[in-house]
Amino acid sequence: MIREVAKVVSNNECTSDVYELKLLVPGIAKDAKVGQFVNVYCKNQVNLLPRPISISEINGDELVLLCRAVGVGTNEFRDLKENDEIVIMGPVGHGFTICNEQRIALVGGGIGIAPLVELAKLLPKESTSVYLGIGKKEEVGFIKEELFRKECMGVKVATMDGTYGTKGTVMDILGDEIFDMIYACGPLPMLKALKKYVDKNNIKAEFSLEERMGCGGLGTCLSCVCKIKVGDSEKWEYKKVCSYGPVVDAKEVLFDE
Ligand SMILES: Cc1cc2nc3c(=O)[nH]c(=O)nc-3n(C[C@H](O)[C@H](O)[C@H](O)COP(=O)(O)OP(=O)(O)OC[C@H]3O[C@@H](n4cnc5c(N)ncnc54)[C@H](O)[C@@H]3O)c2cc1C
Ligand code: FES
């Protein structure tokens, strides 16, 4: 993990609150693996803590980040212009493992779709189906549907209000289909529902957890902990998502009801 000054290649609005930030950052890009994240530092020194953002794509010396503006940091990054410089640290954490299964699903909810984009490029096209859940049609602007269609076998989209694709959640479009492997990232209710589904059907799965992080992966604040099962026993222990994850084996992770 290194700190590096990244140069902004482009920063494009995808929807009213989501933008795609392309950064020239050769040192970090060289070591970046699918599913890892970077810590992005604010210029405004009032916000000392870096903001963790998933690596959405790794294109040579460039990293692509998909960011939703929700607060001070992510609103500051929205204003970055071409050739601006910004400090980032990374790559951080453990990413996805690439499998060779026959029936693979990528399941993304909201901005959790971001880390699945690079993953789609690395999995066997003929085995991989994509299931994306968003709130409304406007959000189609950031889900990279065309790229997923090019890289995978099929793409299904669900919107909560029914304005695009199927009305409902991503669980509704998964239906009763059975997979050998599921990769997922998205809001907690989605991951909880998916955890029940993979446990019930004994499906292998990896979840990328986007817990809140205080120290951005320095390992000092413990704000990011999640419950991880100890072996096959009933016991569990807290693990830091910033170092143990963000990608975890779905069988190991325990969510509170
Ligand atoms: C491993 C990881 C990967 C992430 N990847 C992405 C990504 O690819 N794209 C993206 O847009 N965001 C991603 N996030 C979430 C992102 O880090 C937060 O939205 C960001 O730190 C908020 O900073 P802020 O200064 O804009 O908001 P703040 O002003 O700090 O907070 C604004 C609001 O956002 C809430 N918030 C802060 N962190 C989170 C979080 N982790 N989850 C949900 N709500 C939060 C706060 O409670 C508050 O209500 C990721 C988080 C983690 C831990
Ligand atoms: S974010 Fe501080 S210990 Fe994980």
Side-chain angles (χ1 to χ4, degrees):
M1 184 176 14
I2 57 166
R3 261 172 92 106
E4 190 172 3
V5 176
K7 185 176 264 194
V8 175
V9 176
S10 62
N11 191 6
N12 293 318
E13 203 171 84
C14 305
T15 65
S16 59
D17 62 351
V18 176
Y19 52 95
E20 183 196 66
L21 189 56
K22 285 191 183 160
L23 299 173
L24 181 66
V25 61
I28 294 177
K30 173 170 67 69
D31 292 333
K33 305 248 172 359
V34 61
Q36 290 185 298
F37 66 96
V38 290
N39 280 310
V40 186
Y41 285 84
C42 300
K43 286 212 162 126
N44 184 341
Q45 293 296 308
V46 175
N47 309 305
L48 282 179
L49 294 173
R51 271 48 181 182
I53 302 290
S54 296
I55 296 170
S56 185
E57 290 179 69
I58 308 163
N59 296 331
D61 287 345
E62 288 178 20
L63 293 183
V64 180
L65 311 182
L66 268 182
C67 305
R68 170 162 271 149
V70 294
V72 280
T74 45
N75 270 301
E76 186 191 302
F77 311 146
R78 176 153 66 169
D79 294 335
L80 288 167
K81 303 271 178 297
E82 190 183 340
N83 291 327
D84 279 354
E85 291 186 336
I86 185 165
V87 176
I88 71 170
M89 186 174 70
V92 192
H94 291 96
F96 294 109
T97 52
I98 301 300
C99 77
N100 227 345
E101 301 288 355
Q102 295 295 307
R103 297 168 300 176
I104 303 169
L106 300 186
V107 181
I111 201 66
I113 290 166
L116 305 181
V117 179
E118 184 66 25
L119 188 57
K121 299 182 199 168
L122 303 176
L123 292 168
K125 176 174 178 158
E126 62 288 353
S127 313
T128 309
S129 307
V130 183
Y131 300 84
L132 306 175
I134 47 175
K136 53 185 190 289
K137 188 175 180 184
E138 191 225 350
E139 297 184 345
V140 169
F142 75 81
I143 64 173
K144 306 265 171 106
E145 188 176 347
E146 220 168 280
L147 185 148
F148 281 120
R149 286 202 186 282
K150 183 172 153 252
E151 302 290 346
C152 304
M153 205 169 56
V155 180
K156 286 186 180 171
V157 182
T159 45
M160 291 305 290
D161 65 0
T163 47
Y164 190 81
T166 304
K167 186 175 193 307
T169 69
V170 82
M171 296 310 293
D172 296 316
I173 46 175
L174 270 177
D176 295 327
E177 289 194 46
I178 295 297
F179 300 95
D180 304 310
M181 178 72 188
I182 293 181
Y183 298 94
C185 184
L188 200 52
M190 181 195 102
L191 293 182
K192 282 184 177 177
L194 210 48
K195 161 91 178 149
K196 285 189 183 147
Y197 178 79
V198 297
D199 283 352
K200 182 173 154 224
N201 295 297
N202 200 24
I203 299 169
K204 285 189 281 182
E206 289 185 351
F207 292 170
S208 179
L209 306 178
E210 299 199 338
E211 300 289 328
R212 280 159 212 209
M213 291 188 180
C215 68
L218 300 177
T220 52
C221 73
L222 304 183
S223 66
C224 63
V225 292
C226 69
K227 288 179 182 172
I228 295 288
K229 273 181 78 169
V230 179
D232 286 332
S233 71
E234 292 294 301
K235 293 190 187 139
W236 55 266
E237 59 189 355
Y238 282 118
K239 293 269 189 193
K240 290 181 252 179
V241 172
C242 64
S243 52
Y244 189 76
V247 176
V248 297
D249 184 330
K251 287 214 168 61
E252 293 185 335
V253 70
L254 297 173
F255 295 122
D256 291 329
E257 282 305 318

